[in-house]
Amino acid sequence: MQEDFLHYVWKHKAFSTGSLKTTRDESVSILKLGVHNHNSGPDFFNAQLSINGQLWAGNVEIHVKSSDWYVHGHEKDKAYDNVILHVVWEHNTEVFRSDNSVIPTLELKPLVNRNLINNYKVLLQSKSWINCEAHYPEVDEFVLNNWIERLYIERLERKSNYILKMLKDSQNDWEAVLFKMLLKNFGLKVNGESFLSLANSLDYSVVRKLQHNILDMEALLFGQAGLLEDDVQESYFLDLKRRYQFLAQKFKLSNQEVLPLQFFRLRPPNFPTIRISQFVNLYATEHQLFSKIMNTTTVEGLYEIFGKTVTDFWMTHYTFKTASKSSKKNISKSFVDLLIINTIIPLKFCYAKAKGENVEQSLFNVLKDINAEKNSIVEKFLQLRAMEKNALSSQALLQLKAFYCDKNNCLQCAIGNSLIIKN
């Protein structure tokens, strides 16, 4: 028996509540179970109980055995003096407050249905890819769909913490946050951190002054990224180099903290040179980009905003040194999908929360119009059970795997709950 299971049993009232008695034969009526505390201190705050007809308000502490009270040293902690009920699986000793009064104890062992215990054990003892793999297809459609939406909101809230920190660092400049997040995600997994370090090396006031001049912006980003240091005798390269030297002196720029960019194992369309030029063309041609993105509510509208290409030089190059066959190198819709998933939607969510607005449903609608990401985790879930193949589902499934399945948090999972309480 594990304590977190007993927390689950108490929180969900998953035990027989008729004619409850303490171990001293006192009648117990539960008026409020209390609020689950995940930090230090008693397990449930602000419970309300009637014990032998007397109303009590206070906290509830839960253990496998009564003696765990002393094992955990609660007798030395005044925070536990306001415990009004000790809930245990097995009662093996009395527990006292600091004034020597006995804390009433409720023993759960005879009150919990054996099927509930067996279902819990079967789930947690599974050696499959996920604990519920054998029964995942049986989960009620309504339960699964609601949980998928809740999981995605959890994922957005987790990403919001990152955005809020970035916002604080930029002194509440939302445009600066967009710049950093977009540039990071233009680098994808391989160059994401390098592109973020590139964004962090610049004060956004410099970007504001230069963003509508394509060559100055390319000089700024290529120069800060260390890509203008080679000996290339080509007019475009020399122009950028000259411009960067002027900008570096004017704005006192330093790129010492910028991480090296990677070309290895990247397909040429994903080379950092191409992504930087696409990024610059986006910023140079879209005025008031932040406002435009925040006010765009459809996938098609976002595709239109991000449907940019590269500067002419890059239509015939992937690097500064070698020419190649001419191609437009437009930002693809699949790439824009990743930007929407990883940058635009989290930023819209965070911005709406800051303004006290609720945009969850509109964000869901956008995500449902985007295809699911292709990765092994999502594919495995889809093999277990057919479901809508959209970005909302795939993002939720990634959240489910990382924060519930991998951590055996079945008791906190709606899917796990539904399988535990089944007959």
Side-chain angles (χ1 to χ4, degrees), residues 256-268:
Q256 295 301 306
E257 302 299 321
V258 177
L259 301 175
L261 298 178
Q262 302 296 320
F263 288 79
F264 182 59
R265 290 182 178 173
L266 285 175
R267 293 176 59 248

mmCIF file with all atom_site columns, all heavy atoms in Angstrom, residues 256-268:
data_model
loop_
_atom_site.group_PDB
_atom_site.id
_atom_site.type_symbol
_atom_site.label_atom_id
_atom_site.label_alt_id
_atom_site.label_comp_id
_atom_site.label_asym_id
_atom_site.label_entity_id
_atom_site.label_seq_id
_atom_site.pdbx_PDB_ins_code
_atom_site.Cartn_x
_atom_site.Cartn_y
_atom_site.Cartn_z
_atom_site.occupancy
_atom_site.B_iso_or_equiv
_atom_site.pdbx_formal_charge
_atom_site.auth_seq_id
_atom_site.auth_comp_id
_atom_site.auth_asym_id
_atom_site.auth_atom_id
_atom_site.pdbx_PDB_model_num
ATOM 1   N N   . GLN A 1 256 ? 30.122 37.509 -27.797 1.00 0.00 ? 256 GLN A N   1
ATOM 2   C CA  . GLN A 1 256 ? 30.918 36.535 -27.058 1.00 0.00 ? 256 GLN A CA  1
ATOM 3   C C   . GLN A 1 256 ? 30.071 35.420 -26.446 1.00 0.00 ? 256 GLN A C   1
ATOM 4   O O   . GLN A 1 256 ? 30.542 34.297 -26.259 1.00 0.00 ? 256 GLN A O   1
ATOM 5   C CB  . GLN A 1 256 ? 31.722 37.245 -25.959 1.00 0.00 ? 256 GLN A CB  1
ATOM 6   C CG  . GLN A 1 256 ? 32.778 38.210 -26.476 1.00 0.00 ? 256 GLN A CG  1
ATOM 7   C CD  . GLN A 1 256 ? 33.795 37.505 -27.371 1.00 0.00 ? 256 GLN A CD  1
ATOM 8   O OE1 . GLN A 1 256 ? 34.395 36.506 -26.971 1.00 0.00 ? 256 GLN A OE1 1
ATOM 9   N NE2 . GLN A 1 256 ? 33.983 38.022 -28.578 1.00 0.00 ? 256 GLN A NE2 1
ATOM 10  N N   . GLU A 1 257 ? 28.812 35.738 -26.123 1.00 0.00 ? 257 GLU A N   1
ATOM 11  C CA  . GLU A 1 257 ? 27.942 34.748 -25.467 1.00 0.00 ? 257 GLU A CA  1
ATOM 12  C C   . GLU A 1 257 ? 27.069 33.977 -26.455 1.00 0.00 ? 257 GLU A C   1
ATOM 13  O O   . GLU A 1 257 ? 26.274 33.128 -26.051 1.00 0.00 ? 257 GLU A O   1
ATOM 14  C CB  . GLU A 1 257 ? 27.047 35.447 -24.439 1.00 0.00 ? 257 GLU A CB  1
ATOM 15  C CG  . GLU A 1 257 ? 27.793 36.209 -23.349 1.00 0.00 ? 257 GLU A CG  1
ATOM 16  C CD  . GLU A 1 257 ? 28.676 35.291 -22.517 1.00 0.00 ? 257 GLU A CD  1
ATOM 17  O OE1 . GLU A 1 257 ? 28.243 34.156 -22.233 1.00 0.00 ? 257 GLU A OE1 1
ATOM 18  O OE2 . GLU A 1 257 ? 29.806 35.704 -22.172 1.00 0.00 ? 257 GLU A OE2 1
ATOM 19  N N   . VAL A 1 258 ? 27.212 34.268 -27.739 1.00 0.00 ? 258 VAL A N   1
ATOM 20  C CA  . VAL A 1 258 ? 26.398 33.581 -28.745 1.00 0.00 ? 258 VAL A CA  1
ATOM 21  C C   . VAL A 1 258 ? 26.967 32.195 -29.006 1.00 0.00 ? 258 VAL A C   1
ATOM 22  O O   . VAL A 1 258 ? 28.151 32.036 -29.296 1.00 0.00 ? 258 VAL A O   1
ATOM 23  C CB  . VAL A 1 258 ? 26.337 34.396 -30.058 1.00 0.00 ? 258 VAL A CB  1
ATOM 24  C CG1 . VAL A 1 258 ? 25.547 33.630 -31.120 1.00 0.00 ? 258 VAL A CG1 1
ATOM 25  C CG2 . VAL A 1 258 ? 25.705 35.759 -29.803 1.00 0.00 ? 258 VAL A CG2 1
ATOM 26  N N   . LEU A 1 259 ? 26.116 31.178 -28.906 1.00 0.00 ? 259 LEU A N   1
ATOM 27  C CA  . LEU A 1 259 ? 26.552 29.791 -29.110 1.00 0.00 ? 259 LEU A CA  1
ATOM 28  C C   . LEU A 1 259 ? 26.787 29.514 -30.593 1.00 0.00 ? 259 LEU A C   1
ATOM 29  O O   . LEU A 1 259 ? 26.065 30.052 -31.455 1.00 0.00 ? 259 LEU A O   1
ATOM 30  C CB  . LEU A 1 259 ? 25.491 28.827 -28.570 1.00 0.00 ? 259 LEU A CB  1
ATOM 31  C CG  . LEU A 1 259 ? 25.157 28.969 -27.074 1.00 0.00 ? 259 LEU A CG  1
ATOM 32  C CD1 . LEU A 1 259 ? 24.000 28.042 -26.700 1.00 0.00 ? 259 LEU A CD1 1
ATOM 33  C CD2 . LEU A 1 259 ? 26.379 28.655 -26.226 1.00 0.00 ? 259 LEU A CD2 1
ATOM 34  N N   . PRO A 1 260 ? 27.765 28.679 -30.920 1.00 0.00 ? 260 PRO A N   1
ATOM 35  C CA  . PRO A 1 260 ? 28.060 28.377 -32.331 1.00 0.00 ? 260 PRO A CA  1
ATOM 36  C C   . PRO A 1 260 ? 26.864 27.750 -33.037 1.00 0.00 ? 260 PRO A C   1
ATOM 37  O O   . PRO A 1 260 ? 26.124 26.955 -32.447 1.00 0.00 ? 260 PRO A O   1
ATOM 38  C CB  . PRO A 1 260 ? 29.226 27.383 -32.236 1.00 0.00 ? 260 PRO A CB  1
ATOM 39  C CG  . PRO A 1 260 ? 29.825 27.604 -30.886 1.00 0.00 ? 260 PRO A CG  1
ATOM 40  C CD  . PRO A 1 260 ? 28.692 28.004 -29.988 1.00 0.00 ? 260 PRO A CD  1
ATOM 41  N N   . LEU A 1 261 ? 26.682 28.099 -34.297 1.00 0.00 ? 261 LEU A N   1
ATOM 42  C CA  . LEU A 1 261 ? 25.601 27.527 -35.095 1.00 0.00 ? 261 LEU A CA  1
ATOM 43  C C   . LEU A 1 261 ? 26.048 26.209 -35.713 1.00 0.00 ? 261 LEU A C   1
ATOM 44  O O   . LEU A 1 261 ? 27.223 26.023 -36.035 1.00 0.00 ? 261 LEU A O   1
ATOM 45  C CB  . LEU A 1 261 ? 25.193 28.507 -36.196 1.00 0.00 ? 261 LEU A CB  1
ATOM 46  C CG  . LEU A 1 261 ? 24.636 29.854 -35.720 1.00 0.00 ? 261 LEU A CG  1
ATOM 47  C CD1 . LEU A 1 261 ? 24.323 30.737 -36.918 1.00 0.00 ? 261 LEU A CD1 1
ATOM 48  C CD2 . LEU A 1 261 ? 23.388 29.656 -34.880 1.00 0.00 ? 261 LEU A CD2 1
ATOM 49  N N   . GLN A 1 262 ? 25.094 25.312 -35.886 1.00 0.00 ? 262 GLN A N   1
ATOM 50  C CA  . GLN A 1 262 ? 25.393 23.986 -36.424 1.00 0.00 ? 262 GLN A CA  1
ATOM 51  C C   . GLN A 1 262 ? 24.821 23.839 -37.837 1.00 0.00 ? 262 GLN A C   1
ATOM 52  O O   . GLN A 1 262 ? 23.683 24.202 -38.103 1.00 0.00 ? 262 GLN A O   1
ATOM 53  C CB  . GLN A 1 262 ? 24.790 22.904 -35.524 1.00 0.00 ? 262 GLN A CB  1
ATOM 54  C CG  . GLN A 1 262 ? 25.265 22.942 -34.078 1.00 0.00 ? 262 GLN A CG  1
ATOM 55  C CD  . GLN A 1 262 ? 26.752 22.680 -33.960 1.00 0.00 ? 262 GLN A CD  1
ATOM 56  O OE1 . GLN A 1 262 ? 27.298 21.819 -34.658 1.00 0.00 ? 262 GLN A OE1 1
ATOM 57  N NE2 . GLN A 1 262 ? 27.417 23.431 -33.091 1.00 0.00 ? 262 GLN A NE2 1
ATOM 58  N N   . PHE A 1 263 ? 25.634 23.295 -38.743 1.00 0.00 ? 263 PHE A N   1
ATOM 59  C CA  . PHE A 1 263 ? 25.188 22.936 -40.084 1.00 0.00 ? 263 PHE A CA  1
ATOM 60  C C   . PHE A 1 263 ? 25.126 21.422 -40.242 1.00 0.00 ? 263 PHE A C   1
ATOM 61  O O   . PHE A 1 263 ? 24.395 20.913 -41.088 1.00 0.00 ? 263 PHE A O   1
ATOM 62  C CB  . PHE A 1 263 ? 26.143 23.515 -41.147 1.00 0.00 ? 263 PHE A CB  1
ATOM 63  C CG  . PHE A 1 263 ? 26.042 25.002 -41.319 1.00 0.00 ? 263 PHE A CG  1
ATOM 64  C CD1 . PHE A 1 263 ? 26.659 25.869 -40.427 1.00 0.00 ? 263 PHE A CD1 1
ATOM 65  C CD2 . PHE A 1 263 ? 25.334 25.549 -42.380 1.00 0.00 ? 263 PHE A CD2 1
ATOM 66  C CE1 . PHE A 1 263 ? 26.594 27.243 -40.584 1.00 0.00 ? 263 PHE A CE1 1
ATOM 67  C CE2 . PHE A 1 263 ? 25.248 26.923 -42.552 1.00 0.00 ? 263 PHE A CE2 1
ATOM 68  C CZ  . PHE A 1 263 ? 25.874 27.774 -41.647 1.00 0.00 ? 263 PHE A CZ  1
ATOM 69  N N   . PHE A 1 264 ? 25.895 20.724 -39.419 1.00 0.00 ? 264 PHE A N   1
ATOM 70  C CA  . PHE A 1 264 ? 26.046 19.272 -39.542 1.00 0.00 ? 264 PHE A CA  1
ATOM 71  C C   . PHE A 1 264 ? 24.705 18.567 -39.347 1.00 0.00 ? 264 PHE A C   1
ATOM 72  O O   . PHE A 1 264 ? 23.938 18.890 -38.431 1.00 0.00 ? 264 PHE A O   1
ATOM 73  C CB  . PHE A 1 264 ? 27.054 18.789 -38.498 1.00 0.00 ? 264 PHE A CB  1
ATOM 74  C CG  . PHE A 1 264 ? 27.345 17.321 -38.552 1.00 0.00 ? 264 PHE A CG  1
ATOM 75  C CD1 . PHE A 1 264 ? 27.855 16.735 -39.693 1.00 0.00 ? 264 PHE A CD1 1
ATOM 76  C CD2 . PHE A 1 264 ? 27.104 16.504 -37.452 1.00 0.00 ? 264 PHE A CD2 1
ATOM 77  C CE1 . PHE A 1 264 ? 28.132 15.385 -39.754 1.00 0.00 ? 264 PHE A CE1 1
ATOM 78  C CE2 . PHE A 1 264 ? 27.378 15.153 -37.489 1.00 0.00 ? 264 PHE A CE2 1
ATOM 79  C CZ  . PHE A 1 264 ? 27.895 14.582 -38.644 1.00 0.00 ? 264 PHE A CZ  1
ATOM 80  N N   . ARG A 1 265 ? 24.405 17.617 -40.204 1.00 0.00 ? 265 ARG A N   1
ATOM 81  C CA  . ARG A 1 265 ? 23.212 16.778 -40.164 1.00 0.00 ? 265 ARG A CA  1
ATOM 82  C C   . ARG A 1 265 ? 21.913 17.550 -40.416 1.00 0.00 ? 265 ARG A C   1
ATOM 83  O O   . ARG A 1 265 ? 20.826 17.062 -40.118 1.00 0.00 ? 265 ARG A O   1
ATOM 84  C CB  . ARG A 1 265 ? 23.104 16.018 -38.834 1.00 0.00 ? 265 ARG A CB  1
ATOM 85  C CG  . ARG A 1 265 ? 24.151 14.922 -38.694 1.00 0.00 ? 265 ARG A CG  1
ATOM 86  C CD  . ARG A 1 265 ? 23.997 14.157 -37.393 1.00 0.00 ? 265 ARG A CD  1
ATOM 87  N NE  . ARG A 1 265 ? 24.977 13.079 -37.309 1.00 0.00 ? 265 ARG A NE  1
ATOM 88  C CZ  . ARG A 1 265 ? 25.168 12.336 -36.224 1.00 0.00 ? 265 ARG A CZ  1
ATOM 89  N NH1 . ARG A 1 265 ? 24.448 12.555 -35.129 1.00 0.00 ? 265 ARG A NH1 1
ATOM 90  N NH2 . ARG A 1 265 ? 26.066 11.372 -36.223 1.00 0.00 ? 265 ARG A NH2 1
ATOM 91  N N   . LEU A 1 266 ? 22.027 18.744 -40.946 1.00 0.00 ? 266 LEU A N   1
ATOM 92  C CA  . LEU A 1 266 ? 20.839 19.502 -41.322 1.00 0.00 ? 266 LEU A CA  1
ATOM 93  C C   . LEU A 1 266 ? 20.659 19.436 -42.834 1.00 0.00 ? 266 LEU A C   1
ATOM 94  O O   . LEU A 1 266 ? 21.631 19.485 -43.582 1.00 0.00 ? 266 LEU A O   1
ATOM 95  C CB  . LEU A 1 266 ? 20.986 20.964 -40.909 1.00 0.00 ? 266 LEU A CB  1
ATOM 96  C CG  . LEU A 1 266 ? 20.821 21.308 -39.428 1.00 0.00 ? 266 LEU A CG  1
ATOM 97  C CD1 . LEU A 1 266 ? 21.120 22.786 -39.210 1.00 0.00 ? 266 LEU A CD1 1
ATOM 98  C CD2 . LEU A 1 266 ? 19.433 20.969 -38.928 1.00 0.00 ? 266 LEU A CD2 1
ATOM 99  N N   . ARG A 1 267 ? 19.422 19.322 -43.279 1.00 0.00 ? 267 ARG A N   1
ATOM 100 C CA  . ARG A 1 267 ? 19.143 19.453 -44.701 1.00 0.00 ? 267 ARG A CA  1
ATOM 101 C C   . ARG A 1 267 ? 19.353 20.919 -45.081 1.00 0.00 ? 267 ARG A C   1
ATOM 102 O O   . ARG A 1 267 ? 19.065 21.821 -44.291 1.00 0.00 ? 267 ARG A O   1
ATOM 103 C CB  . ARG A 1 267 ? 17.713 19.014 -45.002 1.00 0.00 ? 267 ARG A CB  1
ATOM 104 C CG  . ARG A 1 267 ? 17.470 17.527 -44.780 1.00 0.00 ? 267 ARG A CG  1
ATOM 105 C CD  . ARG A 1 267 ? 16.009 17.150 -44.997 1.00 0.00 ? 267 ARG A CD  1
ATOM 106 N NE  . ARG A 1 267 ? 15.574 17.477 -46.349 1.00 0.00 ? 267 ARG A NE  1
ATOM 107 C CZ  . ARG A 1 267 ? 14.688 18.419 -46.642 1.00 0.00 ? 267 ARG A CZ  1
ATOM 108 N NH1 . ARG A 1 267 ? 14.156 19.154 -45.683 1.00 0.00 ? 267 ARG A NH1 1
ATOM 109 N NH2 . ARG A 1 267 ? 14.323 18.646 -47.895 1.00 0.00 ? 267 ARG A NH2 1
ATOM 110 N N   . PRO A 1 268 ? 19.865 21.204 -46.272 1.00 0.00 ? 268 PRO A N   1
ATOM 111 C CA  . PRO A 1 268 ? 20.158 22.591 -46.661 1.00 0.00 ? 268 PRO A CA  1
ATOM 112 C C   . PRO A 1 268 ? 19.023 23.589 -46.407 1.00 0.00 ? 268 PRO A C   1
ATOM 113 O O   . PRO A 1 268 ? 19.299 24.715 -45.977 1.00 0.00 ? 268 PRO A O   1
ATOM 114 C CB  . PRO A 1 268 ? 20.502 22.466 -48.152 1.00 0.00 ? 268 PRO A CB  1
ATOM 115 C CG  . PRO A 1 268 ? 21.110 21.105 -48.249 1.00 0.00 ? 268 PRO A CG  1
ATOM 116 C CD  . PRO A 1 268 ? 20.315 20.242 -47.293 1.00 0.00 ? 268 PRO A CD  1
#
